[in-house]
Amino acid sequence: MTKYKNNNQFSFEITKRIPGQLGRAGIIHTPHGDIKTPAFITVGTKGEVRFVSMEDMLAIEAQAMLSNGYHLRNTSYEMAEKGGLSSWSGWDGPTISDSGGFQVMSLGSGFGKVVSMKRENEVMNTKQKDRFAKVSEEGVQFHDPITNQEDFIGPEESMQIQCRIGADIHMAYDELTSLADDYDYNVEALARTERWAVRSIDEHKIHCDELGYHQSLYGVLQGGRWEDLRRSTAAKFAKMDFDGYGLGGAFLKESLGDILKWCCEELPENKPRHLLGLSHPDDILIGTQMGADTFDCVAPTREARHGKIYTKHGNINILKFADSRELLDENCDCPTCKAGWTRGALRALLKSSDQDERRKYFNLASIHNLRFIIRLTQEIRAAILNDTFEEYKEEFLKDYY
RNA sequence: GGGGGGAUAGCGAAGUGGCUAAACGCGGCUGACUGUAACUCAGUUCCUAACGGUUCGACAGUUCGACUCUGUCUCCCCCCA
């Protein structure tokens, strides 16, 4: 197996804490550079952020990229040959790979559903026979309906894939439950995720020994919305040999803060925590306050593609701004706004019948939304360092909502 | 002048006696979207808040009943002179 870049060890330092809170600003050191936290990690599922170039990534001050083990299961061999995700993709900064645990839910019980945070009562799990991911103790049987490819991926396979991908930070294999799953199912799934965590560590160690150096591994916490499950699993994971922790789950918005608090109170303070899959501004603010250091999410890019644009005074739907000569957001420092693109012009690109024009819109809108969220995390960090987190949070939320 | 085809909601287009306020597509309007099966998805789109009302170029018929059949008219397209 190819050797990956490994000129310095993974480590985490806390620069400053939010007084009286679990939150902090810090720096994660990785073989491909530092991540100043809190930080938003852009999602490049298949090794690139949709409609966003590596030059754009630098322009919006993205610090790191998260890719997906399941979606890269085939490509991972080629990545290994080329020296890993970083050299394969052209993204020279820190990288994270997800285990594919999310796909256990998104292609399984939650297939065809929105991963909603506010409609618990409407959510029903997808029927067993309609799922493309079926869970057992050993792992998950995936069926790709487009290629008809069958994959069995358990913790061992996920670690093998991730070690081939060679990101700086790997995620243990987990099962994300859906909001429709009850307490009993969560107990069962959590116990399985805990066993998978042990198997992930063991398998991961084998590959690191073969490589001759350590690749970082985060344990991923589940447990749904139940305090006893969250605390007990966090306490167990705290004693395990992980380099950091992923905070996972399908969260109801109003319970996010509590759940993070339960987890982070049990976790060791000196290891970084990544809140998986969330990035709306209120989520990042509460997440940071409750102890999360990094975030990743598809929302900024997906919502951009769907016409939702982030502004300091809330979100707008670009379709409602035909002929508007306003910028997307006043005083925005993103490349799109700095280049003078107006809402009307961008709307015209989105509505164009020309594919290239639509793609241009996707690019311009995506980098605007990404920059908005990245800037938010930068401002939060600055506020923590200045001891003004509470004031910043209050003011931001007042403008935004 | 002769022959043929056609006129359906903002547009395009089904429907050829009752189950049709009228399929479907586009456009419009709402709303979703959080570790990307997502350039996607859901709802709505004659008038009315609703009860209900008025429709399928126009008028006149046939029929218990017409967007669907008949006649006349208006307009559009094609072919032959």
Side-chain angles (χ1 to χ4, degrees):
Chain A
M1 189 177 277
T2 313
K3 290 268 182 181
Y4 300 98
K5 182 174 176 180
N6 184 38
N7 48 21
N8 57 327
Q9 285 290 323
F10 177 91
S11 65
F12 177 58
E13 61 177 286
I14 295 172
T15 310
K16 180 127 185 178
R17 293 173 179 78
I18 303 173
Q21 302 280 352
L22 292 157
R24 63 274 182 98
I27 302 175
I28 300 170
H29 301 285
T30 84
H32 285 87
D34 293 345
I35 303 172
K36 290 180 179 171
T37 72
F40 176 74
I41 316 298
T42 55
V43 178
T45 300
K46 295 188 177 177
E48 60 179 1
V49 182
R50 291 187 182 177
F51 300 101
V52 176
S53 70
M54 292 307 165
E55 291 71 36
D56 293 331
M57 289 274 281
L58 296 175
I60 61 178
E61 298 178 33
Q63 296 196 75
M65 177 172 78
L66 178 143
S67 297
N68 183 286
Y70 174 74
H71 289 291
L72 291 173
R73 62 198 188 285
N74 297 325
T75 317
S76 63
Y77 296 95
E78 183 188 322
M79 289 181 155
E81 281 175 23
K82 294 202 173 161
L85 174 59
S86 181
S87 35
W88 182 89
S89 68
W91 170 247
D92 194 34
T95 49
I96 301 176
S97 58
D98 186 29
S99 63
F102 181 72
Q103 279 63 39
V104 179
M105 194 280 287
S106 67
L107 301 178
S109 63
F111 172 68
K113 309 288 193 308
V114 161
V115 189
S116 174
M117 303 218 328
K118 54 189 167 190
R119 288 184 294 165
E120 180 185 14
N121 298 333
E122 296 172 30
V123 178
M124 293 281 285
N125 276 346
T126 302
K127 287 189 284 243
Q128 200 71 29
K129 68 176 172 62
D130 295 330
R131 300 180 182 184
F132 295 128
K134 293 179 180 169
V135 184
S136 64
E137 177 61 27
E138 273 308 296
V140 183
Q141 184 67 41
F142 288 99
H143 169 73
D144 186 327
I146 297 167
T147 63
N148 279 328
Q149 184 178 340
E150 294 288 331
D151 291 276
F152 181 83
I153 301 180
E156 291 77 15
E157 290 78 9
S158 175
M159 292 307 108
Q160 290 158 14
I161 293 168
Q162 292 189 69
C163 287
R164 285 195 294 270
I165 291 170
D168 297 310
I169 298 168
H170 301 180
M171 292 285 166
Y173 203 52
D174 65 318
E175 177 184 351
L176 166 56
T177 54
S178 91
L179 287 170
D181 290 314
D182 61 13
Y183 180 83
D184 289 344
Y185 185 79
N186 272 274
V187 169
E188 175 194 328
L190 184 58
R192 186 161 45 232
T193 290
E194 289 174 354
R195 279 179 280 207
W196 286 1
V198 174
R199 285 164 60 186
S200 292
I201 287 180
D202 291 347
E203 181 74 14
H204 193 254
K205 188 167 186 311
I206 293 171
H207 288 274
C208 290
D209 288 347
E210 279 175 15
L211 286 168
Y213 63 91
H214 184 67
Q215 291 179 314
S216 305
L217 180 64
Y218 281 21
V220 180
L221 304 182
Q222 293 294 341
R225 57 188 177 278
W226 293 276
E227 181 170 6
D228 58 331
L229 301 185
R230 284 288 178 180
R231 283 195 186 275
S232 69
T233 201
K236 281 181 208 165
F237 274 56
K239 297 194 188 99
M240 296 167 72
D241 191 17
F242 285 117
D243 299 284
Y245 296 93
L247 306 165
F251 302 100
L252 237 41
K253 217 167 182 67
E254 58 268 27
S255 53
L256 175 63
D258 285 338
I259 293 172
L260 294 179
K261 184 164 171 284
W262 302 331
C263 293
C264 292
E265 281 181 350
E266 305 296 332
L267 290 173
E269 193 193 37
N270 62 353
K271 289 183 180 176
R273 306 151 186 161
H274 179 85
L275 177 53
L276 286 152
L278 295 185
S279 77
H280 287 165
D282 53 341
D283 299 329
I284 288 188
L285 283 161
I286 196 76
T288 300
Q289 184 177 336
M290 294 303 171
D293 301 298
T294 52
F295 305 82
D296 78 276
C297 191
V298 304
T301 48
R302 181 186 290 166
E303 292 183 337
R305 270 179 268 130
H306 295 176
K308 184 186 266 189
I309 299 294
Y310 301 164
T311 88
K312 202 159 178 48
H313 300 289
N315 303 328
I316 61 162
N317 180 348
I318 194 72
L319 295 177
K320 294 180 182 173
F321 291 88
D323 306 320
S324 167
R325 303 180 73 176
E326 272 184 273
L327 296 176
L328 293 178
D329 195 10
E330 52 181 340
N331 303 324
C332 177
D333 64 355
C334 86
T336 303
C337 290
K338 283 201 290 193
W341 284 94
T342 64
R343 296 178 181 188
L346 287 162
R347 192 201 105 104
L349 289 181
L350 174 57
K351 295 303 293 178
S352 170
S353 58
D354 183 75
Q355 186 174 246
D356 290 338
E357 295 200 338
R358 265 179 283 126
R359 287 180 170 167
K360 182 68 179 165
Y361 165 81
F362 295 144
N363 170 254
L364 293 166
S366 294
I367 61 181
H368 170 84
N369 278 1
L370 285 174
R371 178 61 199 149
F372 184 91
I373 296 299
I374 288 169
R375 189 171 60 236
L376 170 67
T377 60
Q378 291 174 336
E379 288 173 358
I380 293 173
R381 178 180 166 83
I384 294 172
L385 296 179
N386 290 333
D387 272 328
T388 54
F389 175 79
E390 288 297 342
E391 294 91 311
Y392 177 82
K393 178 186 172 192
E394 194 179 323
E395 194 166 323
F396 181 90
L397 291 175
K398 187 167 58 104
D399 282 345
Y400 192 75
Y401 291 101

